[in-house]
Amino acid sequence: MKFSFRPVEGAFYELFTKAAQNLVRGTELLNELALPGVDVQSVSERLTEVEHDSDQITHQLYKKINSTFITPFDREDIYRLGSGLDDIMDHLEAVGNLLYLYGLTKLPSLPREMHELIAVLDAQAKLTADAMPRLRAMKNLEDYWIECNRLENDGDRAYRMLLVRLFSGEYDALTVLKMKEVADELEAACDAFEHVANTIETIAVKES
């Protein structure tokens, strides 16, 4: 029987779970952008509120790291995981803000590939939120990081096809520049989800 001197400190896992749940809220808000007659300013403002809440969770996590003598697993990994979750939320907020500030939702429609990227992010967010409660027991996590990496590959394909469309001549040069910036944030969010999955895989291997 394996014995560990590490405590079962619930606060860390609760903070990770809350941060992941915020990511689901973030991708759900981005999905609203596909709805007819959507209030884009409202979506952008609500994304900012969720991002601020995530910042508070991250600050609580860092404070907990500094005030806890023995952590459930390596401090560096706790920091890396918390920082990774926060990075994803930053990218999601940037997508909503840029779409609003650049007025891109005034176009007849956003590129299909952009919605495909958002759908990938939504799937990654739900997968991540579902996996976080299992982090406490370090069990049944392998399917999570495998599927998250597979989704990241789907996101890469959608991103490349979006770039093909942006540079096809369908849009004027200024619109292309604006949408390229949004596309880069979407792709960065997909990558950040994969980085979180890789971090959890590393933690699971160390703790096994």
Side-chain angles (χ1 to χ4, degrees), residues 41-127:
Q41 182 176 358
S42 171
V43 171
S44 176
E45 289 172 351
R46 282 180 286 154
L47 270 168
T48 297
E49 289 173 5
V50 177
E51 193 275 334
H52 287 167
D53 186 52
S54 290
D55 279 345
Q56 289 302 313
I57 292 170
T58 305
H59 292 319
Q60 289 176 48
L61 180 67
Y62 293 165
K63 186 176 180 180
K64 188 68 180 172
I65 294 172
N66 293 329
S67 64
T68 301
F69 182 61
I70 303 177
T71 54
F73 45 91
D74 288 350
R75 293 173 189 275
E76 294 80 4
D77 290 329
I78 293 174
Y79 181 87
R80 189 177 298 113
L81 180 52
S83 178
L85 292 166
D86 189 55
D87 287 345
I88 298 169
M89 193 65 240
D90 287 344
H91 292 305
L92 298 181
E93 183 203 18
V95 170
N97 288 174
L98 290 171
L99 285 169
Y100 167 61
L101 294 171
Y102 285 163
L104 290 171
T105 51
K106 294 177 183 177
L107 295 169
S109 65
L110 291 172
R112 182 190 72 254
E113 296 83 1
M114 195 169 281
H115 292 301
E116 289 174 358
L117 266 167
I118 292 172
V120 168
L121 290 172
D122 190 51
Q124 286 181 307
K126 289 173 180 172
L127 193 67

